Amino acid sequence: MRITVTVDGTAYTDDVEPRLLLVHYLRDRLGKVGTVIGCDTGNCGACTVHLNGHSVKSCSVLAVQADGGDILTVEGLSRNGKLHPVQQAFRDNHALQCGYCTPGMIMQTLDLLAEEPDPDERTVRLGLEGNLCRCTGYQNIVSAVQDAAQRLRGGSTAETPATDANAPKTDTAQGGVR
């Protein structure tokens, strides 16, 4: 099948097999290796990207389902060599240990903060519960999300992804930050 997608602001048209997962399309075809393959079951959230403004676990989405869509990966967040405020907050708050979950955590954080710009600790933990950190760095992650929220409310010039109420949502019912 032929698909056309916009990834991090660049349009791509490719022939893909109908069974190709979005995570493999992004990594293998487009070189977007910041989108990490974690569990291949939708449980860990390491592969979270934005599709049409909302987070999705790209190991649970077929590339053909993204046809016509706008995809944002962690690589597409920085502008002019400057980290996005969420990326900077994760860095400044040491919200990573091995770093494997970090891209998915950052992408899910963007979705969370679009819905709740001033989350308390419980809201952060619930909003990220579909993303797992195997190093148990959750307290620093929570601190980073709250710091990012403050940075974004403070009038940061970095843009956050647009939202689309009809786009698929990440399933946060399983596992994650508690």
Side-chain angles (χ1 to χ4, degrees):
M1 288 190 74
R2 180 162 290 226
I3 64 169
T4 300
V5 293
T6 301
V7 180
D8 298 336
T10 302
Y12 298 90
T13 299
D14 285 300
D15 290 321
V16 299
E17 290 190 35
R19 65 182 181 202
L20 181 67
L21 293 172
L22 181 57
V23 68
H24 295 295
Y25 175 72
L26 293 171
R27 289 179 58 82
D28 300 339
R29 289 279 185 95
L30 303 185
K32 301 291 184 173
V33 294
T35 303
V36 181
I37 299 171
C39 64
D40 271 338
T41 62
N43 288 318
C44 77
C47 67
T48 301
V49 298
H50 280 211
L51 175 59
N52 298 326
H54 289 283
S55 60
V56 297
K57 294 177 181 176
S58 61
C59 74
S60 299
V61 176
L62 297 171
V64 296
Q65 291 175 294
D67 186 30
D70 186 21
I71 300 165
L72 179 66
T73 71
V74 73
E75 287 102 336
L77 292 179
S78 63
R79 297 282 185 254
N80 301 320
K82 184 176 179 184
L83 293 177
H84 185 280
V86 175
Q87 291 172 307
Q88 190 65 50
F90 268 68
R91 179 180 180 185
D92 292 349
N93 287 275
H94 310 287
L96 57 105
Q97 288 183 37
C98 80
Y100 203 81
C101 70
T102 305
M105 288 284 187
I106 288 171
M107 298 308 291
Q108 183 61 30
T109 294
L110 289 169
D111 206 43
L112 168 65
L113 295 179
E115 290 181 22
E116 178 52 63
D118 189 16
D120 59 19
E121 182 176 337
R122 183 177 190 283
T123 302
V124 172
R125 290 180 182 277
L126 289 172
L128 296 180
E129 73 179 349
N131 291 71
L132 301 176
C133 173
R134 290 174 175 88
C135 300
T136 67
Y138 292 125
Q139 189 55 51
N140 287 353
I141 292 168
V142 171
S143 297
V145 173
Q146 290 181 310
D147 181 18
Q150 184 175 5
R151 291 171 193 233
L152 291 171
R153 286 192 319 271
S156 171
T157 58
E159 295 180 20
T160 57
T163 60
D164 177 354
N166 297 320
K169 300 291 292 172
T170 298
D171 175 17
T172 58
Q174 301 178 22
V177 181
R178 298 211 183 256

